[in-house]
Amino acid sequence: MTGAPASAAGGSSGARRAGPRGPSGAAQEPAERTGPGGATERDAAQRGTVPRGATEGGAAGRGGKLAAAAVNQASVWNVANLLTMLRLLLVPGFVALMLGNGGYDPAWRSFAWAAFAIAMITDLFDGHLARTYNLVTDFGKIADPIADKAIMGAALVCLSALGDLPWWVTAVILGRELGITVLRFVVIRYGVIPASRGGKLKTLTQGVAVGMYVLALTGPLATLRFWVMAAAVVLTVVTGLDYVKQAIVLRRQGIAERRAALKGTEA
């Protein structure tokens, strides 16, 4: 027979699959790919150049990071934060309307009530929008409680300055609000004190009572606003004591957990 043996043919094809061999019989590495102009990837690396694909990928990565940063920065200007800013801007306007024409003009007091009502309504919506549509920002966390206390504090101080509301009522409400705010920051290392139903009812009752005092009411409505304010003061004190209790319990739990963690580390 004149054909080559099957083993020889198989060996020859196997050699072709393994690639060319050098003088020592070892298989040589496949040739490097060349780019435009005959330059290899190794040459490009030695010259400090980067392949086009890698450059485009890096640029895309950097562009994505910049876009994400821009979105995070722009998220401060969302509808929830805009409502909070509006509430802050309403504070000086409310004070001007409340004290306009001596502070006892029913028309000016009606305009002041409208500004106060808008502020209270935006307080109901901005937090709900932020939580529902994931619009929570650091600015909102700080500005929202400031706006709430600013409009309520301005109304209470104006009413007491005009003689419509006893100063001790203003002192009790504002003292409670500021005290609980400070308490939240003190125990934040141990956890967060959640808002209770009693606290939400207190806020609603305060808003209704102060709004009724802002209006120049007479007769049965003037008597009704007295009792609504009395209920607001009671809720203010009761919920304040409840928050203090929660803060004490939260602090004790936090200290106990830290001690247990330290003992576990030492063991």
Side-chain angles (χ1 to χ4, degrees):
M1 294 177 64
T2 58
S7 60
S12 176
S13 62
R16 285 197 300 270
R17 286 194 300 267
R21 296 180 179 271
S24 60
Q28 293 181 351
E29 296 180 357
E32 294 181 340
R33 290 173 296 179
T34 60
T40 63
E41 292 178 351
R42 183 178 300 176
D43 295 334
Q46 291 175 352
R47 289 196 302 269
T49 60
V50 181
R52 181 179 178 182
T55 305
E56 292 176 350
R62 289 192 297 272
K65 293 180 180 179
L66 291 175
V71 169
N72 291 334
Q73 185 177 3
S75 64
V76 175
W77 299 96
N78 59 57
V79 63
N81 287 344
L82 290 176
L83 290 175
T84 301
M85 295 177 194
L86 173 63
R87 198 156 69 253
L88 286 170
L89 294 175
L90 283 173
V91 174
F94 166 80
V95 173
L97 293 171
M98 189 71 182
L99 302 179
N101 200 19
Y104 299 100
D105 189 325
W108 285 88
R109 294 284 284 262
S110 297
F111 289 127
W113 177 87
F116 182 80
I118 292 174
M120 291 295 99
I121 292 173
T122 57
D123 180 33
L124 295 176
F125 282 102
D126 60 356
H128 175 73
L129 290 173
R131 291 186 296 270
T132 303
Y133 298 101
N134 195 24
L135 302 176
V136 178
T137 62
D138 292 337
F139 172 81
K141 293 177 183 178
I142 297 173
D144 183 67
I146 293 176
D148 297 344
K149 291 167 180 57
I151 190 67
M152 183 61 68
L156 290 170
V157 170
C158 287
L159 290 171
S160 295
L162 294 172
D164 293 341
L165 191 67
W167 277 105
W168 69 265
V169 174
T170 298
V172 168
I173 294 177
L174 292 185
R176 184 268 190 197
E177 299 299 329
L178 295 176
I180 296 302
T181 300
V182 172
L183 187 63
R184 286 177 181 273
F185 281 106
V186 170
V187 301
I188 197 170
R189 69 183 69 178
Y190 306 109
V192 177
I193 304 176
S196 63
R197 292 183 179 179
K200 295 178 181 179
L201 180 61
K202 177 268 307 177
T203 301
L204 177 62
T205 308
Q206 281 183 359
V208 173
V210 172
M212 294 179 72
Y213 268 86
V214 169
L215 288 172
L217 299 178
T218 57
L221 290 177
T223 303
L224 177 61
R225 71 181 183 181
F226 169 82
W227 291 108
V228 176
M229 181 60 75
V233 172
V234 171
L235 287 172
T236 298
V237 175
V238 171
T239 55
L241 294 175
D242 180 62
Y243 276 120
V244 172
K245 178 183 177 181
Q246 291 186 51
I248 294 174
V249 172
L250 187 63
R251 181 176 180 274
R252 288 178 178 175
Q253 291 177 349
I255 292 175
E257 291 175 358
R258 287 188 177 184
R259 289 178 178 174
L262 289 174
K263 289 182 180 179
T265 303
E266 293 175 355

